[in-house]
PDB file of all heavy atoms in Angstrom:
ATOM      1  N   LYS A 192      21.536   8.290   7.893  1.00 82.00           N
ATOM      2  CA  LYS A 192      22.375   7.204   8.458  1.00 82.00           C
ATOM      3  C   LYS A 192      21.432   6.132   8.926  1.00 82.00           C
ATOM      4  O   LYS A 192      21.791   4.808   8.783  1.00 82.00           O
ATOM      5  CB  LYS A 192      23.390   7.618   9.601  1.00 82.00           C
ATOM      6  CG  LYS A 192      24.424   8.479   9.035  1.00 82.00           C
ATOM      7  CD  LYS A 192      25.385   8.887  10.239  1.00 82.00           C
ATOM      8  CE  LYS A 192      26.451   9.830   9.786  1.00 82.00           C
ATOM      9  NZ  LYS A 192      27.281  10.165  10.975  1.00 82.00           N
ATOM     10  N   ALA A 194      18.090   5.811   8.202  1.00 80.00           N
ATOM     11  CA  ALA A 194      16.875   5.609   7.365  1.00 80.00           C
ATOM     12  C   ALA A 194      16.661   4.213   6.842  1.00 80.00           C
ATOM     13  O   ALA A 194      15.609   3.751   6.956  1.00 80.00           O
ATOM     14  CB  ALA A 194      16.795   6.596   6.240  1.00 80.00           C
ATOM     15  N   ALA A 200      12.056  -1.275   9.634  1.00 78.00           N
ATOM     16  CA  ALA A 200      11.220  -1.429  10.811  1.00 78.00           C
ATOM     17  C   ALA A 200       9.816  -0.982  10.549  1.00 78.00           C
ATOM     18  O   ALA A 200       8.977  -0.966  11.473  1.00 78.00           O
ATOM     19  CB  ALA A 200      11.928  -0.527  12.061  1.00 78.00           C
ATOM     20  N   MET A 220       7.751  22.011  14.777  1.00 97.00           N
ATOM     21  CA  MET A 220       6.890  21.452  15.882  1.00 97.00           C
ATOM     22  C   MET A 220       7.620  21.438  17.174  1.00 97.00           C
ATOM     23  O   MET A 220       7.017  21.783  18.226  1.00 97.00           O
ATOM     24  CB  MET A 220       6.574  19.977  15.468  1.00 97.00           C
ATOM     25  CG  MET A 220       5.464  19.790  14.384  1.00 97.00           C
ATOM     26  SD  MET A 220       5.222  18.118  13.818  1.00 97.00           S
ATOM     27  CE  MET A 220       4.698  17.367  15.303  1.00 97.00           C
ATOM     28  N   ALA A 223       7.439  25.199  18.406  1.00 98.00           N
ATOM     29  CA  ALA A 223       6.081  25.529  18.777  1.00 98.00           C
ATOM     30  C   ALA A 223       5.712  24.859  20.096  1.00 98.00           C
ATOM     31  O   ALA A 223       5.318  25.528  21.085  1.00 98.00           O
ATOM     32  CB  ALA A 223       5.183  25.201  17.770  1.00 98.00           C
ATOM     33  N   LEU A 228       5.289  24.884  26.117  1.00 96.00           N
ATOM     34  CA  LEU A 228       5.639  24.208  27.324  1.00 96.00           C
ATOM     35  C   LEU A 228       6.289  25.274  28.246  1.00 96.00           C
ATOM     36  O   LEU A 228       6.015  25.458  29.421  1.00 96.00           O
ATOM     37  CB  LEU A 228       6.366  23.002  27.241  1.00 96.00           C
ATOM     38  CG  LEU A 228       6.879  22.258  28.537  1.00 96.00           C
ATOM     39  CD1 LEU A 228       5.602  21.773  29.197  1.00 96.00           C
ATOM     40  CD2 LEU A 228       7.835  21.082  28.202  1.00 96.00           C
TER      41      LEU A 228
END
Side-chain angles (χ1 to χ4, degrees):
K192 286 181 185 178
M220 287 174 55
L228 179 63

